[in-house]
Amino acid sequence: MNGLDNVASQLEQMELGLMLRGEFDQNNAILNIHPGAGGVDAQDWAGMLMRMYLRWCDGRDYQTEIVDITPGDEAGIKGATILVTGKLAYGYLQAETGVHRLVRLSPYDFNKRRHTSFAAVDVTPEIDDTVEVDIQQEDLRIDTYRASGAGGQHVNVTDSAIRITHKPTGIIVQCQNERSQHKNREIAMKLLRSRLHEKYRTEREEELAKQRSERLEINFGSQIRSYVLHPYQRVKDLRTSVETGNVNAVLDGALDPFIESYLKMKAKTNL
């Protein structure tokens, strides 16, 4: 029986591989996580999501690099950018773009009331140098600053961190992971190229989406998945209706059923 299960699993992966034939599905992925409404609870939720994705990546033997992170005021994070390296990283992780909603008894509420928190996940493909993205030097504002973090030997004591603002679009990228300012700038420019390419691609797709009466932008009122820890336990994907009561497993990285069901739905509807 185990042999049959293994064969079925391999066939399933082959089927998904055949689906992932988009222009950038084979590329590495850039994962951005930001808390939404909910204060400290939302920052904690964003940190929980970051851990969830890092666990999922470990399970697939993907390499991860946290190129930028801003710690939360009391817990969690105010934002993080993670570079995920591996075959089909973007192809799979594109399914996670959207707003994720958490319902739980808040550990930060003295009265232990139920809170609802939101966090946004944005996934873009890493774009290599063969893809042309027009970036004019005069359109950039480049600032240096001292890296922040929880402390320890990896925190820089010089102004090696880089923040780049693309003035025409308002897109801001930053990197503080490396000790070298030159290396941080190189990574930040890579992030900017990918963000700009995704912005231009999305704008083109939105024009087509208008003809199909679809909306491709994600906002905090359009969550894709709900994670409920109280008064019951359930994770439900609102796009595919796939759900499970094993919330802890999902938060530990068991995302494949949600990702795979979304990719199958996308393939069937030709989104």
Side-chain angles (χ1 to χ4, degrees):
M1 188 63 181
N2 288 336
L4 291 176
D5 288 343
N6 289 336
V7 171
S9 176
Q10 291 174 8
L11 289 174
E12 183 90 357
Q13 293 304 311
M14 290 175 62
E15 180 186 1
L16 287 169
L18 291 174
M19 292 179 186
L20 296 176
R21 291 185 171 182
E23 183 179 4
F24 300 108
D25 284 351
Q26 296 279 338
N27 289 32
N28 299 330
I30 298 169
L31 181 70
N32 290 281
I33 305 172
H34 294 282
V40 176
D41 276 280
Q43 293 174 18
D44 188 42
W45 173 223
M48 291 167 64
L49 285 174
M50 182 178 74
R51 176 184 177 276
M52 179 181 77
Y53 289 120
L54 291 174
R55 289 291 186 93
W56 179 82
C57 290
D58 285 344
R60 283 188 168 267
D61 293 327
Y62 284 160
Q63 299 297 310
T64 56
E65 180 181 3
I66 301 175
V67 298
D68 185 60
I69 186 169
T70 303
D73 294 323
E74 298 180 36
I77 58 173
K78 290 183 177 179
T81 301
I82 304 168
L83 175 62
V84 181
T85 303
K87 184 178 180 181
L88 294 173
Y90 174 69
Y92 285 113
L93 282 171
Q94 63 182 299
E96 294 302 293
T97 293
V99 175
H100 298 247
R101 170 178 174 261
L102 173 70
V103 180
R104 65 172 175 175
L105 292 178
S106 170
Y108 307 102
D109 186 325
F110 179 77
N111 295 312
K112 299 299 181 182
R113 291 170 296 187
R114 188 170 64 179
H115 281 238
T116 299
S117 306
F118 298 91
V121 175
D122 182 45
V123 183
T124 57
E126 181 189 27
I127 305 300
D128 60 36
D129 294 335
T130 63
V131 178
E132 292 187 11
V133 178
D134 185 27
I135 300 177
Q136 301 296 323
Q137 190 64 32
E138 58 268 25
D139 290 338
L140 302 180
R141 185 175 76 242
I142 301 177
D143 301 306
T144 60
Y145 63 98
R146 185 164 298 180
S148 62
Q153 61 179 343
H154 298 298
V155 176
N156 294 315
V157 294
T158 59
D159 293 345
S160 61
I162 293 288
R163 180 185 297 109
I164 301 178
T165 303
H166 186 251
K167 291 182 281 190
T169 62
I171 290 176
I172 300 174
V173 296
Q174 52 194 38
C175 182
Q176 58 174 314
N177 189 54
E178 303 292 336
R179 292 180 179 271
S180 162
Q181 184 182 113
H182 175 76
K183 182 65 174 177
N184 282 331
R185 177 171 176 152
E186 180 183 319
I187 295 174
M189 283 299 297
K190 180 182 293 187
L191 298 178
L192 179 61
R193 292 180 73 254
S194 295
R195 290 279 300 277
L196 284 173
H197 183 274
E198 183 68 8
K199 174 180 172 60
Y200 299 147
R201 183 191 66 79
T202 301
E203 287 175 350
R204 291 195 301 270
E205 289 188 352
E206 284 177 345
E207 289 301 316
L208 296 175
K210 290 177 182 177
Q211 302 174 19
R212 304 193 304 265
S213 299
E214 295 177 350
R215 180 173 176 81
L216 297 182
E217 288 187 0
I218 299 295
N219 57 61
F220 284 95
S222 59
Q223 59 263 20
I224 64 167
R225 193 173 302 142
S226 181
Y227 306 70
V228 180
L229 299 180
H230 182 83
Y232 52 87
Q233 294 206 344
R234 183 180 68 183
V235 179
K236 182 174 182 179
D237 195 292
L238 305 179
R239 302 164 299 179
T240 63
S241 296
V242 171
E243 62 180 84
T244 178
N246 195 346
V247 179
N248 289 333
V250 175
L251 294 177
D252 276 336
L255 294 171
D256 285 349
F258 299 103
I259 291 175
E260 292 171 4
S261 61
Y262 171 78
L263 293 175
K264 290 176 182 178
M265 181 194 74
K266 181 181 176 184
K268 289 178 181 178
T269 54
N270 295 315
L271 285 177

